[in-house]
Amino acid sequence: MSKHFVSSILFYSVLFLYPMGLQAQEKALLDQKVTIHAEQQTLPAVLLTLSRSAQFDLAYNAEVLKNTSTIQLHLEEAPLQQVLDTLLYSQKLDYKCMGTQVVIFRQKTIIPPKIQITNTLSGIVVDHRTGQPLTEAKLYDKGLGHIATTNTQGIFTFRFHNPSIKLQLTVQQKGYQTKYIPLHLNRNLQIKIGLQANIPVDNTSLQIPQASTDIVALLDSLVPEEKRALESIPQAFTLNNTSIEELQMYQWFVPSIEKHEVQRDTLSRKWLKIGLLPVLSSNLIRDKYTINHVAINGLAGYAAGVRGYELAGITNIIRYNVHGVQIAGVNNIVGGVLRGVQLAGVTNINRFITSGVQFAGVYNQAGYHLNGVQIAGISNYIRGSMRGIQLAGISNHNQKGGKGVQIASLYNSVKGPFKGHQFSLLQNISTQNLEGTQWTLLRNQSKTIEGTQVGLLNQADTLKGVQLGLLNFSKEVTEGVPIGLLSFVKNGYQELEAGYQLNSLYTVSLKTGLPQFYNILSIGGMTESPEFLALGYGVGSHHQIYKRLGVNGDLMLYSLQHYQRLTRDNHWLANASIALSLKTGKRLTIFGGGNWNILQTSAIDESISSPTPISMYLTPYVRTESANGNVFMQWIGYQVGIRVKLNSEQ
């Protein structure tokens, strides 16, 4: 074989293989994944950064890039070809890849982009307080599910090909409150999202599933009123420890083959299910896919839903919704919405909305909203708001307020704004505003009460209504009045008074309440023979006439007893007085006025042949005697004294 022939073979082989190798090199370069974050940068600067990152050479005429616009683009791990298309086609530029070199030139004709990215949503998720980026924060949309996750710098990017799209954005990060953002995207948009760190409310909460199919199914099933109730609860998707997967009954009776989530389009309906346990039933291993109309479970049952009736010896467990009736010997569990009736020997637990009735021998738990009735032998508990009635043998608890009635033998508690009524034997508590009534034998407490408190002890930060009790306490009264044995208002009427009356009666009195209505506790005595101890209680009212001048009207009743000996004689002194008061200092007031007195006594002092020794001080007086021996005397007298204001506000 001649040398010429061999040389020819080598030449043509190289000529044939070189373009193939060059094409492979170009394809590898264009398929290379790159990340770009450009914020109002020039095109030459962006291309230079890109060439260094992807390690290729740039070739272009400076005139080609002279009048190009600034670049705003954020792409994560995108092919170099997609990045170049996005950068250059909008600037009416084109490119050609030659080995490791990219040549840029003007488009001869308008060429449609190879990949059209209509719009991009990008941004950063940070800690609201510190501004630190949050890694691995998840972004969901109600219809699309999981759409993005933030990188180590807290940045996310979501690309979509729809010229206009509406998103119901849900942003989640462990240890932070979930944030909800409605968006209408018809252009490229960058946003900054700040998340608030969690403030623990209690240790019972629910977590949004990773695939979010449960949440989507539940939201789609809600009526408008239930959606509004759910949206009013900021923690609606952050309650974590009481999802049905965490409950002991679920772990005991549901086999692992039935525990994973399913897509809604795989669910089917079945009229009748009969079985002993999950899997050991006519549904076989399709319990998690099946919505039953009638289910009879010997010991325990599990299904995707119920639209009818379900009966079990021990427990019924439904992953999604119940429209109908559940009856179980021990407990019923619903992971979604209950519209109907639950009847259990021990407990009923519902994860989201309860529109119906729960009967339990021991305990009922509703999710985020009760629109119905809870009746339990011991306790009822609502994690969200309520519109209905809670009736319990011992206690009722409501975490978010709402409207309705709580009736318990011992204790009612509401931790949010509440419109309704609380009835119990021992205690009613409302931590925020209550519009309605609290009735108990012992103690009522509310931050703000717009209504009535009736009990031995009533407490309110702000009173806009009436307190009826033995002791009433409030920081301020904007409307209404406290009525009781003693009423203490921090910015109300609090005065200590020392006085003297015509019948040699010296008194020290405490007046507390409001200027328009206050209570009076009084102690005093008569110092001239015969000596009497006086204990009195009364009510009064103060009205300001001018800057320093006022008038008080008091009604008092005194019980009189001898200092040195106790007798069975009845001595009662009723007193009605009107006195003018003059403020002489910041806290000191002097007063004087007249009074009308009525004395009732059953004692006869034979030595002076008058109805009672007290009569020697009463000149003139009117005396009458009843058939049963009681003597009544009336006279008009006077009183003088001083008052000291005890509080700084009035």
Side-chain angles (χ1 to χ4, degrees):
M1 186 178 295
S2 65
K3 292 183 179 180
H4 177 73
F5 179 75
V6 172
S7 299
S8 298
I9 293 295
L10 291 174
F11 174 76
Y12 285 111
S13 296
V14 171
L15 189 65
F16 177 74
L17 293 176
Y18 177 74
M20 295 180 61
L22 194 61
Q23 289 178 1
Q25 190 177 19
E26 293 171 358
K27 187 176 186 306
L29 177 63
L30 293 176
D31 289 343
Q32 185 180 173
K33 298 294 180 64
V34 295
T35 297
I36 180 171
H37 295 291
E39 186 70 32
Q40 300 298 329
Q41 297 183 21
T42 63
L43 180 59
V46 174
L47 289 172
L48 180 60
T49 302
L50 193 63
S51 67
R52 291 173 179 173
S53 173
Q55 296 183 349
F56 64 85
D57 298 323
L58 273 174
Y60 60 86
N61 189 321
E63 289 295 323
V64 172
L65 305 183
K66 186 174 182 181
N67 296 318
T68 55
S69 58
T70 57
I71 301 298
Q72 179 176 327
L73 181 64
H74 297 273
L75 292 175
E76 294 273 354
E77 294 297 314
L80 178 60
Q81 181 178 0
Q82 178 182 335
V83 176
L84 290 173
D85 288 346
T86 305
L87 285 173
L88 300 177
Y89 283 130
S90 61
Q91 307 275 5
K92 296 184 179 182
L93 299 174
D94 203 349
Y95 68 94
K96 184 174 182 60
C97 188
M98 303 177 63
T100 60
Q101 187 178 59
V102 175
V103 180
I104 298 173
F105 50 88
R106 288 195 180 95
Q107 294 179 0
K108 294 182 180 179
T109 57
I110 299 177
I111 303 174
K114 298 177 184 178
I115 298 178
Q116 182 182 7
I117 300 178
T118 307
N119 285 312
T120 300
L121 171 65
S122 59
I124 185 170
V125 180
V126 300
D127 184 293
H128 177 77
R129 186 178 64 85
T130 66
Q132 293 296 317
L134 299 180
T135 304
E136 298 296 322
K138 302 261 189 308
L139 287 86
Y140 299 89
D141 173 66
K142 175 182 174 181
L144 301 176
H146 178 259
I147 61 173
T149 301
T150 59
N151 61 14
T152 54
Q153 287 81 39
I155 295 172
F156 67 89
T157 300
F158 169 54
R159 299 178 295 276
F160 54 96
H161 301 279
N162 194 326
S164 178
I165 185 172
K166 291 184 178 180
L167 299 178
Q168 295 294 328
L169 206 60
T170 300
V171 187
Q172 282 194 317
Q173 171 68 310
K174 186 176 181 181
Y176 289 82
Q177 295 180 19
T178 301
K179 191 163 189 175
Y180 306 96
I181 307 171
L183 290 175
H184 182 196
L185 300 180
N186 51 19
R187 57 184 176 82
N188 289 338
L189 182 64
Q190 284 190 314
I191 59 176
K192 182 177 181 180
I193 303 172
L195 297 185
Q196 296 271 8
N198 266 338
I199 301 175
V201 177
D202 54 30
N203 58 358
T204 58
S205 29
L206 270 171
Q207 182 179 26
I208 188 168
Q210 289 294 323
S212 73
T213 56
D214 279 5
I215 300 299
V216 173
L218 291 170
L219 289 175
D220 287 350
S221 72
L222 301 183
V223 299
E225 179 183 350
E226 293 169 342
K227 287 183 179 179
R228 287 193 297 271
L230 196 61
E231 290 167 357
S232 69
I233 304 167
Q235 291 82 15
F237 295 119
T238 59
L239 291 174
N240 187 28
N241 295 331
T242 54
S243 61
I244 62 172
E245 291 86 352
E246 301 295 327
L247 298 175
Q248 197 64 51
M249 285 291 187
Y250 182 91
Q251 296 177 5
W252 283 349
F253 289 104
V254 179
S256 58
I257 194 175
E258 294 276 15
K259 288 183 178 179
H260 65 271
E261 293 178 5
V262 298
Q263 298 295 327
R264 284 177 296 155
D265 54 10
T266 64
L267 298 178
S268 61
R269 296 190 182 186
K270 190 172 183 180
W271 278 102
L272 178 64
K273 171 196 171 184
I274 299 176
L276 181 66
L277 292 165
V279 178
L280 300 178
S281 71
S282 57
N283 285 347
L284 299 177
I285 60 173
R286 289 193 56 81
D287 280 333
K288 61 181 178 291
Y289 299 101
T290 307
I291 300 172
N292 299 306
H293 288 267
V294 177
I296 301 174
N297 307 305
L299 294 178
Y302 175 62
V306 167
R307 288 183 176 269
Y309 305 91
E310 185 174 38
L311 175 67
I314 296 178
T315 182
N316 294 308
I317 302 173
I318 298 300
R319 186 173 192 91
Y320 298 114
N321 302 341
V322 170
H323 295 249
V325 179
Q326 281 187 313
I327 302 175
V330 178
N331 81 330
N332 295 302
I333 298 171
V334 177
V337 176
L338 167 69
R339 294 194 184 96
V341 178
Q342 285 181 316
L343 176 61
V346 181
T347 64
N348 292 306
I349 297 175
N350 184 29
R351 183 183 174 194
F352 270 81
I353 305 293
T354 299
S355 295
V357 183
Q358 290 180 310
F359 295 91
V362 177
Y363 175 75
N364 289 310
Q365 177 177 305
Y368 302 115
H369 184 64
L370 168 71
N371 188 8
V373 180
Q374 287 183 316
I375 302 174
I378 293 180
S379 181
N380 294 306
Y381 179 74
I382 304 173
R383 293 203 306 266
S385 62
M386 70 176 283
R387 179 174 292 178
I389 298 174
Q390 288 182 307
L391 176 60
I394 293 181
S395 64
N396 294 306
H397 303 268
N398 181 345
Q399 292 293 98
K400 295 295 176 184
K403 300 178 180 179
V405 178
Q406 289 183 316
I407 304 173
S409 63
L410 296 184
Y411 178 81
N412 291 310
S413 171
V414 178
K415 292 188 177 180
F418 186 69
K419 294 182 180 181
H421 310 279
Q422 292 180 311
F423 301 89
S424 73
L425 291 178
L426 295 184
Q427 183 168 249
N428 296 311
I429 292 180
S430 173
T431 61
Q432 294 189 30
N433 183 54
L434 186 144
E435 296 182 34
T437 58
Q438 291 180 314
W439 298 75
T440 186
L441 291 180
L442 187 60
R443 177 175 178 257
N444 293 308
Q445 179 181 346
S446 179
K447 184 174 183 180
T448 299
I449 176 74
E450 298 185 37
T452 304
Q453 288 182 315
V454 180
L456 292 178
L457 173 62
N458 298 308
Q459 295 175 269
D461 286 356
T462 302
L463 174 63
K464 299 179 181 179
V466 178
Q467 289 177 318
L468 296 173
L470 188 66
L471 296 174
N472 300 311
F473 295 90
S474 58
K475 292 183 179 179
E476 64 174 351
V477 178
T478 58
E479 296 177 18
V481 62
I483 301 173
L485 180 66
L486 280 179
S487 298
F488 295 93
V489 182
K490 184 177 180 181
N491 65 344
Y493 189 84
Q494 297 178 24
E495 295 198 343
L496 186 64
E497 177 182 291
Y500 170 78
Q501 298 186 23
L502 170 65
N503 51 350
S504 297
L505 178 63
Y506 294 88
T507 59
V508 176
S509 303
L510 175 65
K511 298 182 175 182
T512 67
L514 297 175
Q516 59 268 35
F517 186 85
Y518 52 79
N519 305 112
I520 308 170
L521 283 182
S522 182
I523 186 171
M526 294 181 177
T527 58
E528 299 184 24
S529 179
E531 297 178 342
F532 280 85
L533 174 67
L535 296 175
Y537 176 79
V539 294
S541 181
H542 171 82
H543 298 277
Q544 201 71 23
I545 299 175
Y546 195 58
K547 293 180 180 180
R548 294 179 174 270
L549 187 64
V551 61
N552 287 66
D554 297 343
L555 295 175
M556 293 292 302
L557 180 64
Y558 291 95
S559 174
L560 306 176
Q561 281 289 339
H562 287 279
Y563 278 133
Q564 298 179 351
R565 57 189 176 91
L566 295 177
T567 69
R568 288 181 295 177
D569 298 333
N570 296 321
H571 303 287
W572 295 96
L573 176 62
N575 180 305
S577 65
I578 295 178
L580 290 175
S581 59
L582 178 64
K583 192 172 182 180
T584 60
K586 184 176 181 181
R587 294 181 179 270
L588 188 64
T589 299
I590 60 174
F591 69 91
N595 55 30
W596 176 42
N597 303 272
I598 300 176
L599 175 68
Q600 180 271 324
T601 179
S602 60
I604 299 295
D605 192 327
E606 297 178 353
S607 63
I608 60 174
S609 299
S610 62
T612 174
I614 302 175
S615 64
M616 67 181 62
Y617 306 115
L618 312 180
T619 303
Y621 66 87
V622 178
R623 177 182 179 277
T624 58
E625 185 172 347
S626 64
N628 59 7
N630 287 321
V631 178
F632 295 88
M633 289 180 291
Q634 302 179 45
W635 71 94
I636 295 176
Y638 65 86
Q639 60 178 0
V640 293
I642 61 172
R643 297 193 199 107
V644 177
K645 185 169 68 171
L646 301 179
N647 61 340
S648 57
E649 298 283 341
Q650 199 178 108

